[in-house]
Amino acid sequence: QLHVNAAGGSGTIAPSSINTSGRDGAASGGTGGNSGTIDVSGSGNSGITIANATTATRGNGATPGTSGAITLTSLAGSVSGAGVINSLGALTVAANAGINLNGNNLVTGLITLNNTQGTPSGNVFYQSANSGSTQVTGSNLAAGGTFGVTETGTANLTVASAGIVTSGGAVTLTAQG
């Protein structure tokens, strides 16, 4: 597990590439290893900017390992960036000042986007370039804040059973695949 925490202060957390991977199984049909989880969080008014790839890759084998979950939390700032987030596991994002993850993200697990920390402001946007399905849920409790998801890899975009909630803002789901 990789955990990065920046407490207090101002500015942004802008990690270089973050990668965790499981070992590959033996060529004779072994089991692949699991990747670790990635957890990046900031308190104070720190935001998080994903400028480079963030990847949780399972090990290959006759029985593949599992991909770790990726969690990005900004208690008093935004979570944004065009760096590609890549995982077969879940992605959970929590922010206070909006979410804008506009890279060609490749997360195939459940994507949970919550702009609900403190008194939230801003909008929520996520872009996916999956070759499979994209399933999303979340909340934007900023007054009038929007919630948008665009799927560019396939036309397979679904809302999880927990749904999407806004506080008077529009919800836009676009499948362009």
Side-chain angles (χ1 to χ4, degrees), residues 12-85:
T12 61
I13 302 168
S16 185
S17 294
I18 298 175
N19 299 298
T20 177
S21 61
R23 64 165 175 72
D24 286 338
S28 61
T31 299
N34 300 333
S35 73
T37 61
I38 297 174
D39 180 5
V40 179
S41 61
S43 59
N45 58 354
S46 297
I48 298 172
T49 301
I50 303 298
N52 298 294
T54 301
T55 305
T57 307
R58 68 184 183 182
N60 291 316
T63 304
T66 60
S67 289
I70 298 176
T71 302
L72 307 171
T73 304
S74 181
L75 298 177
S78 64
V79 177
S80 63
V84 174
I85 300 170

Side-chain angles (χ1 to χ4, degrees), residues 78-175:
S78 64
V79 177
S80 63
V84 174
I85 300 170
N86 184 0
S87 177
L88 298 176
L91 170 65
T92 302
V93 182
N96 164 266
I99 298 169
N100 184 10
L101 295 173
N102 59 1
N104 288 322
N105 298 300
L106 301 169
V107 177
T108 58
L110 178 63
I111 300 156
T112 303
L113 308 169
N114 288 314
N115 190 40
T116 58
Q117 303 295 308
T119 303
S121 63
N123 298 315
V124 172
F125 178 76
Y126 179 83
Q127 181 168 303
S128 174
N130 273 344
S131 59
S133 88
T134 297
Q135 186 177 35
V136 67
T137 187
S139 298
N140 185 2
L141 299 185
T146 62
F147 194 111
V149 179
T150 298
E151 168 59 58
T152 62
T154 66
N156 194 349
L157 173 61
T158 60
V159 175
S161 61
I164 294 174
V165 175
T166 66
S167 191
V171 174
T172 305
L173 303 174
T174 305

